[in-house]
Amino acid sequence: MTTTPHSPRQLALRWLVQLAATIGLFVTGLAWLGTADALGSGPGFAVVVSAAIAFALPALVARAPGEIEAVASNVAWFLGAGVLLVLLSGRTSPASGASGAAAVVRWIVSGLFHAAAFMPAALLLHRGATVDARDAADRALLAASACLTASLAESTFVMRSARAAGFSYVGWTAPLLGPALVTLLALAGLTAAGVIVRGVRWLALWRRVRRGSGWRLVRAAAWERAVPEVAWFALRGAELDAVVVRRVASEGGAYRDAALEAAVARVPGKADRVTRMLARRVAVAGALVVVLALLATGPLASLRW
């Protein structure tokens, strides 16, 4: 039976991911719907609809009890949002530049793209997500950065396509899109940088643990004293079957009956796998920074809203 985490740290991580997804979806919605004048709408049409979608979808995915339900609801809701975007755009938006089968294919592809970009966030938002390990902050930051980067890339592409097709952004969307894109760029860069900084620190610490300079790994079953509750890492499919032990006193300075070592945290026993995971996380964050730099100096720099 799974329960919703209630500690301030866990709630803060979930809110971080949900906020990033909401901001990204909102800006993407503005880019898609900002040229639309559907159903006799007023100047705030795109803003209201984009905000409704942006707040509803992450909240609905967050209600899923487990991973399977989170993945299913993630895909279903984003496909539904794609349909809604096409229907609301009418013939005055680049979102509906095709009709018939081509329009259906477009919203399916768009929905699947959003679902894939949002998947890391969905796997952290559902109620049964494991967010109590110390590296949960790294996973949350990386998921947030991925969502924001994908939203920035898509919004930039859609706006450039709209301008090339002769569309104009109307109503409240026009003055909002500029600051919104800058906000996406800044938040995506900051979260990716946070992952890199934290990842480098984790790698340095883990290298010290593996080298044995004052640290060592002990199988949890072989550790005779209490095993700590805190976990450093949570790896999919890997048990926390080892304990990080740190030397806390020297032989000469210790009391005769005092323990020279203290257990620090539970970790997976597969040390090589932990190293690869940490390195891969830093590499992905670095790739996001490169993508953001290319967007900022390329399509985004030449974009006029």
Side-chain angles (χ1 to χ4, degrees):
M1 179 177 178
T2 57
T3 58
T4 304
H6 295 290
S7 75
R9 182 175 181 274
Q10 292 170 330
L11 290 175
L13 293 180
R14 291 169 62 89
W15 276 108
L16 169 66
V17 176
Q18 192 161 344
L19 179 62
T22 300
I23 294 174
L25 286 169
F26 175 68
V27 179
T28 303
L30 289 181
W32 278 109
L33 295 173
T35 62
D37 187 17
L39 306 177
S41 58
F45 166 75
V47 176
V48 173
V49 175
S50 297
I53 294 175
F55 280 98
L57 291 181
L60 289 169
V61 172
R63 292 176 61 87
E67 284 192 356
I68 296 177
E69 294 85 356
V71 171
S73 61
N74 178 39
V75 175
W77 286 114
F78 276 104
L79 285 177
V83 176
L84 185 61
L85 286 174
V86 172
L87 293 178
L88 290 176
S89 297
R91 292 186 175 276
T92 58
S93 167
S96 58
S99 59
V104 174
V105 172
R106 172 167 293 187
W107 69 252
I108 289 177
V109 172
S110 175
L112 292 177
F113 172 82
H114 287 112
F118 186 69
M119 194 66 70
L123 294 177
L124 285 175
L125 282 178
H126 71 83
R127 288 180 291 170
T130 303
V131 291
D132 55 347
R134 293 301 182 190
D135 74 329
D138 305 65
R139 289 184 283 134
L141 287 171
L142 188 59
S145 184
C147 287
L148 293 167
T149 302
S151 297
L152 178 63
E154 183 181 7
S155 300
T156 302
F157 171 77
V158 171
M159 291 179 66
R160 288 175 64 88
S161 299
R163 289 304 173 89
F167 292 103
S168 298
Y169 282 90
V170 297
W172 299 343
T173 306
L176 279 178
L177 269 174
L181 292 176
V182 173
T183 300
L184 280 183
L185 179 63
L187 291 178
L190 287 174
T191 48
V195 175
I196 294 174
V197 172
R198 287 180 59 89
V200 170
R201 291 176 62 187
W202 275 124
L203 280 169
L205 178 58
W206 191 242
R207 187 177 296 111
R208 290 175 60 192
V209 172
R210 298 196 65 182
R211 285 179 177 175
S213 54
W215 303 77
R216 66 188 181 101
L217 283 177
V218 180
R219 306 299 295 183
W223 181 246
E224 298 178 353
R225 295 190 290 274
V227 176
E229 291 295 327
V230 63
W232 275 0
F233 312 113
L235 292 181
R236 184 180 299 274
E239 296 183 5
L240 298 174
D241 54 356
V243 178
V244 175
V245 176
R246 184 179 185 182
R247 180 172 291 275
V248 294
S250 65
E251 292 284 354
Y255 290 106
R256 183 175 54 185
D257 296 327
L260 298 178
E261 293 180 323
V264 177
R266 295 179 296 124
V267 295
K270 300 178 179 178
D272 290 337
R273 185 175 174 185
V274 172
T275 302
R276 289 194 298 270
M277 178 272 293
L278 293 173
R280 183 166 57 246
R281 188 179 288 163
V282 172
V284 171
L288 291 176
V289 171
V290 172
V291 171
L292 291 171
L294 293 175
L295 286 172
T297 57
L300 189 58
S302 60
L303 190 62
R304 297 292 181 268
W305 43 80

